[in-house]
Amino acid sequence: MKKIFEASQIKGIDRYTVENEPIASIDLVERAATVFVNEFCRHFTFHQNRICIFAGQGNNGADALAISRILTEKSYNVYTYLINPANMLSPDCEENKRRIKEGENKQFTEIIKEFVPPSLTKSDIIIDGLFGSGLNRPLEGGYAEIVKYINNSKSTVVSIDIPSGLFGEDNRENNPEHIIQADLTLTFEFPKLSFLFPENAAYAGEWKILPIGLHPDALKNTKSYYGLITEEDIPSLIRPRHRFTHKGDYGHALLLVGGKGKMGAAVLAANSCLRSGVGLLTTHIPGRGENIMQISVPESIVSLDTNSDYISMLPDLSKYNAVGIGPGTGTENITADAFETLIQTIGNKPLVIDADALNIIAQKTELLKLLPAGTILTPHSGEFDRIAGASECEYERIQKAREIANEQKICIVLKGAYTAVCIPSGKVFFNTTGNSGMATAGSGDVLTGILSGLLAQGYSFEAAAVIGVYMHGLAGNLAAKSLSQESMLAGDIVKMLGKAFLQMVEYTGEKFLSLNDAYSSGF
């Protein structure tokens, strides 16, 4: 898994690279600048546009000055502004200032006192290199004015590594008006954690990771609690299926789903559970849903509740390998009582809790303490806040989820654009698949079915969560490619689960690994 490091760790990784590659610091800057320029030129092939580069006094400014020189050598029309009010540059920035002044770029201005900014137009491209990831306090004074000036322009803005003014992780104490609003951020080696939070979408814009050859030992040995789930990670986690097997070898899942007017949720969860590879599925539903389920999901065994409209009781749990509950159930008292009985009697069987079952926990928060170890909760931000209390931002929400996951020894899947899988060890894995078309009714019900099916097959709860969210998002991507994001339905995600499986297992022929093996190789 690809690690995400906190801003406080990045200088150490850079220093290790310089000392152990070995490579001079100025040459590492040159390498990063060259990689940046190569990617920049793929996006902006037109040389007639004016490029305005704003460089700061530190090493992000050093990158910016090196980029200016290389772009000039490639015949781009580059204007460079080095903002240096303290009249003091980092050594690498000073060296790149010397190189740029000796080179061909005569459109270079160093600002020590007053700055009359250029008149920016829609056709201009701004490269932001004022501040890097080491910033730990809000921008003020002249720097803040430059940021506001850039943001008020209609120019396209490309940030180097991180938008100036944005903190690497927690931005609660930041000033949002003093952060660059980039259209594109070309970040080095790994994204910054703050890129993954919805409150920062206006700043990072679209972002892309550019490898710059930081030392692999530094990346491997530096501890990180955060990582990205990528296509390389999943195939080795998927259990191979053998020829001489039968349905009993792939587990028996139980779904407690559906309610009056919400049998669609039951159908979606059941279909996705079956598509996840489970051998047998029993769907326990209110009595009125029998015909709907038998017709819509003939592959599922149907268990009927004695109540026609709501789930009020539990079937015998002894024959099931995993249980999922919540989609469409409602929060009636009889359903809440049945849910409480479930978590008290399920023992060590894996459990997935979603939707209305989460709302029941929010109404009776003492139930959270009763959840069996290994339970998977799948809340979106609103559902989580109702359980854990309101959060100012996603960073705070994730820290709360990490704490609860650790205390209760459960997994919390915080659903969103980069769904975060929080496991008991404190690690958080951010998913990289999915799209906005999945923001549609029933999408979460599909995920519940997938997770329940994977757990029934014997996957650990951590591995099931990682595989499940990735597969869910990948199926969503395939559906969007076929139908468009706007017209996607949750049922389209279910239909693409087969193709998602094919794509995942065909990525590599590597043998099955446990999630712990995957951690040791990447975390």
Side-chain angles (χ1 to χ4, degrees):
M1 300 209 182
K2 191 171 188 65
K3 292 182 181 180
I4 302 172
F5 297 99
E6 297 185 41
S8 60
Q9 299 173 296
I10 296 173
K11 281 187 178 180
I13 294 170
D14 288 345
R15 183 168 55 250
Y16 187 98
T17 301
V18 168
E19 294 172 355
N20 292 275
E21 184 171 336
I23 183 174
S25 178
I26 190 67
D27 293 332
L28 185 59
V29 168
E30 190 74 7
R31 189 156 74 193
T34 300
V35 170
F36 181 98
V37 168
N38 289 341
E39 182 64 29
F40 180 90
C41 292
R42 280 192 280 271
H43 287 267
F44 306 101
T45 57
F46 30 89
H47 287 63
Q48 68 274 20
N49 293 69
R50 182 176 60 163
I51 298 174
C52 295
I53 298 181
F54 292 84
Q57 300 168 268
N59 283 348
N60 199 249
D63 293 336
L65 295 182
I67 288 165
S68 170
R69 174 172 44 79
I70 298 170
L71 284 173
T72 299
E73 291 168 358
K74 291 180 176 291
S75 301
Y76 281 84
N77 181 25
V78 182
Y79 287 75
T80 305
Y81 303 91
L82 173 58
I83 314 300
N84 185 19
N87 199 17
M88 183 173 62
L89 305 175
S90 73
D92 288 342
C93 194
E94 186 70 54
E95 173 59 18
N96 270 305
K97 171 188 165 183
R98 184 190 67 76
R99 292 181 183 184
I100 202 172
K101 292 184 78 172
E102 289 182 355
E104 300 176 5
N105 187 354
K106 304 307 178 186
Q107 299 169 150
F108 170 79
T109 305
E110 182 176 10
I111 295 93
I112 296 176
K113 293 184 178 178
E114 282 194 39
F115 176 41
V116 179
S119 178
L120 300 172
T121 69
K122 187 176 182 179
S123 63
D124 291 332
I125 301 167
I126 295 170
I127 295 180
D128 155 42
L130 291 170
F131 288 92
S133 58
L135 190 71
N136 55 19
R137 57 191 177 89
L139 295 183
E140 298 175 341
Y143 284 114
E145 292 305 312
I146 292 172
V147 166
K148 288 194 286 187
Y149 182 75
I150 291 172
N151 287 343
N152 287 332
S153 75
K154 297 186 181 299
S155 306
T156 298
V157 180
V158 182
S159 284
I160 303 170
D161 197 34
I162 186 171
S164 292
L166 184 67
F167 301 158
E169 294 85 40
D170 185 0
N171 281 269
R172 279 175 289 183
E173 302 300 320
N174 210 340
N175 186 335
E177 294 183 0
H178 298 168
I179 304 172
I180 286 287
Q181 296 173 6
D183 298 288
L184 173 66
T185 300
L186 299 179
T187 191
F188 297 139
E189 208 68 54
F190 42 82
K192 310 308 174 269
L193 196 61
S194 56
F195 294 2
L196 305 174
F197 304 147
E199 61 265 20
N200 299 323
Y203 311 125
E206 296 295 322
W207 53 267
K208 184 173 182 179
I209 302 170
L210 303 181
I212 59 170
L214 295 180
H215 202 290
D217 288 347
L219 299 176
K220 180 180 179 181
N221 297 329
T222 303
K223 185 177 181 180
S224 172
Y225 283 108
Y226 306 100
L228 292 177
I229 306 168
T230 67
E231 62 182 351
E232 293 93 340
D233 302 316
I234 302 302
S236 59
L237 297 176
I238 296 177
R239 296 178 180 272
R241 294 173 76 96
H242 302 292
R243 181 178 297 274
F244 294 101
T245 55
H246 55 81
K247 60 190 176 185
D249 294 321
Y250 299 109
H252 191 165
L254 170 68
L255 290 176
L256 300 159
V257 287
K260 183 178 180 180
K262 297 180 180 179
M263 284 307 300
V267 171
L268 288 166
N271 272 322
S272 61
C273 185
L274 289 162
R275 289 288 185 189
S276 71
V278 72
L280 288 161
L281 169 65
T282 293
T283 310
H284 183 82
I285 58 173
R288 70 164 58 234
E290 181 178 12
N291 288 342
I292 294 172
M293 186 59 61
Q294 294 283 21
I295 294 169
S296 301
V297 195
E299 298 86 354
S300 174
I301 302 166
V302 175
S303 167
L304 294 179
D305 200 280
T306 55
N307 190 290
S308 296
D309 295 330
Y310 303 105
I311 289 174
S312 65
M313 54 168 283
L314 302 178
D316 179 7
L317 301 178
S318 62
K319 59 184 176 181
Y320 304 112
N321 301 105
V323 180
I325 185 170
T329 60
T331 58
E332 299 295 318
N333 289 337
I334 52 173
T335 304
D337 291 343
F339 173 62
E340 186 168 355
T341 301
L342 173 67
I343 61 177
Q344 291 173 337
T345 59
I346 194 171
N348 61 359
K349 292 181 187 293
L351 175 64
V352 181
I353 298 175
D354 183 35
D356 284 325
L358 293 171
N359 292 327
I360 291 171
I361 293 177
Q363 294 170 1
K364 301 178 69 175
T365 53
E366 65 273 14
L367 296 179
L368 188 64
K369 299 290 186 182
L370 302 178
L371 297 180
T375 296
I376 300 178
L377 272 62
T378 62
H380 55 62
S381 59
E383 290 167 334
F384 182 78
D385 285 358
R386 288 195 286 273
I387 292 171
S391 295
E392 290 183 48
C393 61
E394 192 71 4
Y395 178 81
E396 181 184 4
R397 192 170 289 117
I398 284 174
Q399 301 316 307
K400 288 182 181 179
R402 290 179 65 201
E403 184 178 343
I404 294 171
N406 176 260
E407 288 177 354
Q408 301 299 120
K409 306 306 177 192
I410 62 176
C411 175
I412 297 179
V413 175
L414 274 176
K415 294 183 290 194
Y418 297 99
T419 292
V421 178
C422 307
I423 64 174
S425 67
K427 294 184 184 295
V428 181
F429 307 134
F430 292 93
N431 189 40
T432 54
T433 58
N435 60 81
S436 62
M438 299 177 72
T440 186
S443 179
D445 305 328
V446 174
L447 179 60
T448 299
I450 294 170
L451 296 174
S452 302
L454 292 171
L455 289 172
Q457 292 172 69
Y459 287 94
S460 70
F461 69 97
E462 300 102 329
V466 167
I467 296 168
V469 299
Y470 186 90
M471 179 166 62
H472 182 243
L474 179 57
N477 286 348
L478 293 168
K481 186 175 181 180
S482 173
L483 299 166
S484 82
Q485 294 183 21
E486 290 79 4
S487 64
M488 271 177 58
L489 301 177
D492 299 321
I493 302 172
V494 178
K495 292 173 184 176
M496 289 296 177
L497 287 175
K499 289 186 177 180
F501 253 125
L502 280 176
Q503 188 166 317
M504 291 189 303
V505 299
E506 288 177 356
Y507 179 80
T508 178
E510 292 181 11
K511 65 180 181 180
F512 169 75
L513 297 174
S514 71
L515 196 58
N516 284 333
D517 292 332
Y519 293 161
S520 63
S521 63
F523 269 66

Short mmCIF file of all heavy atoms in Angstrom, two decimals, residues 94 140 190 204 210 223 256 317 328 331 337 507:
data_model
loop_
_atom_site.label_atom_id
_atom_site.label_comp_id
_atom_site.label_asym_id
_atom_site.label_seq_id
_atom_site.Cartn_x
_atom_site.Cartn_y
_atom_site.Cartn_z
N GLU A 94 18.74 29.97 -3.12
CA GLU A 94 19.81 30.91 -3.51
C GLU A 94 20.56 30.42 -4.73
O GLU A 94 20.84 31.18 -5.67
CB GLU A 94 20.77 31.10 -2.34
CG GLU A 94 21.84 32.17 -2.56
CD GLU A 94 21.26 33.57 -2.58
OE1 GLU A 94 20.59 33.95 -1.62
OE2 GLU A 94 21.50 34.28 -3.59
N GLU A 140 0.10 35.41 6.35
CA GLU A 140 -0.29 36.76 6.76
C GLU A 140 0.40 37.77 5.86
O GLU A 140 1.25 37.43 5.03
CB GLU A 140 0.11 37.01 8.23
CG GLU A 140 -0.55 36.09 9.23
CD GLU A 140 -0.02 36.31 10.64
OE1 GLU A 140 1.08 36.89 10.77
OE2 GLU A 140 -0.71 35.91 11.60
N PHE A 190 3.89 11.25 -2.95
CA PHE A 190 2.68 10.81 -2.29
C PHE A 190 1.79 12.03 -2.06
O PHE A 190 2.29 13.15 -1.96
CB PHE A 190 2.98 10.14 -0.94
CG PHE A 190 4.02 10.85 -0.13
CD1 PHE A 190 3.70 11.94 0.65
CD2 PHE A 190 5.34 10.43 -0.17
CE1 PHE A 190 4.67 12.61 1.37
CE2 PHE A 190 6.33 11.10 0.55
CZ PHE A 190 5.98 12.19 1.32
N ALA A 204 -6.83 21.98 -3.41
CA ALA A 204 -5.96 21.05 -4.14
C ALA A 204 -6.39 20.86 -5.58
O ALA A 204 -5.57 20.56 -6.45
CB ALA A 204 -5.93 19.69 -3.42
N LEU A 210 3.63 12.54 -8.51
CA LEU A 210 4.81 12.43 -9.37
C LEU A 210 5.95 11.78 -8.58
O LEU A 210 6.42 12.35 -7.60
CB LEU A 210 5.25 13.82 -9.85
CG LEU A 210 4.22 14.66 -10.61
CD1 LEU A 210 4.84 15.99 -11.03
CD2 LEU A 210 3.69 13.91 -11.83
N LYS A 223 7.56 5.23 9.67
CA LYS A 223 6.24 4.75 10.09
C LYS A 223 5.15 5.69 9.62
O LYS A 223 5.30 6.90 9.66
CB LYS A 223 6.20 4.63 11.60
CG LYS A 223 4.90 4.02 12.15
CD LYS A 223 4.98 3.86 13.66
CE LYS A 223 3.70 3.23 14.21
NZ LYS A 223 3.76 3.06 15.68
N LEU A 256 -30.08 -9.06 7.37
CA LEU A 256 -31.30 -8.61 8.03
C LEU A 256 -31.61 -7.25 7.44
O LEU A 256 -31.05 -6.22 7.85
CB LEU A 256 -31.08 -8.52 9.54
CG LEU A 256 -30.70 -9.85 10.22
CD1 LEU A 256 -30.02 -9.61 11.54
CD2 LEU A 256 -31.92 -10.72 10.40
N LEU A 317 -29.03 -18.08 14.50
CA LEU A 317 -27.78 -17.57 13.94
C LEU A 317 -26.71 -18.63 13.77
O LEU A 317 -25.68 -18.36 13.14
CB LEU A 317 -27.22 -16.44 14.83
CG LEU A 317 -28.12 -15.22 15.05
CD1 LEU A 317 -27.42 -14.24 16.00
CD2 LEU A 317 -28.45 -14.53 13.73
N GLY A 328 -32.58 -0.43 4.80
CA GLY A 328 -34.03 -0.43 4.66
C GLY A 328 -34.80 -0.89 5.86
O GLY A 328 -36.04 -1.00 5.80
N THR A 331 -36.11 2.24 11.95
CA THR A 331 -35.62 2.31 13.33
C THR A 331 -36.75 2.11 14.34
O THR A 331 -36.70 2.63 15.46
CB THR A 331 -34.92 3.66 13.59
OG1 THR A 331 -35.86 4.72 13.33
CG2 THR A 331 -33.71 3.84 12.70
N ASP A 337 -34.94 -3.36 19.13
CA ASP A 337 -34.82 -4.44 20.11
C ASP A 337 -34.17 -5.67 19.48
O ASP A 337 -33.32 -6.32 20.11
CB ASP A 337 -36.19 -4.81 20.68
CG ASP A 337 -36.78 -3.71 21.57
OD1 ASP A 337 -36.01 -2.83 22.00
OD2 ASP A 337 -38.01 -3.73 21.80
N TYR A 507 -5.05 -8.45 -12.59
CA TYR A 507 -4.00 -7.43 -12.54
C TYR A 507 -2.64 -8.06 -12.35
O TYR A 507 -1.65 -7.65 -12.91
CB TYR A 507 -4.28 -6.44 -11.41
CG TYR A 507 -3.20 -5.37 -11.30
CD1 TYR A 507 -3.22 -4.28 -12.17
CD2 TYR A 507 -2.18 -5.48 -10.38
CE1 TYR A 507 -2.23 -3.32 -12.11
CE2 TYR A 507 -1.19 -4.52 -10.31
CZ TYR A 507 -1.22 -3.44 -11.17
OH TYR A 507 -0.23 -2.50 -11.11
#
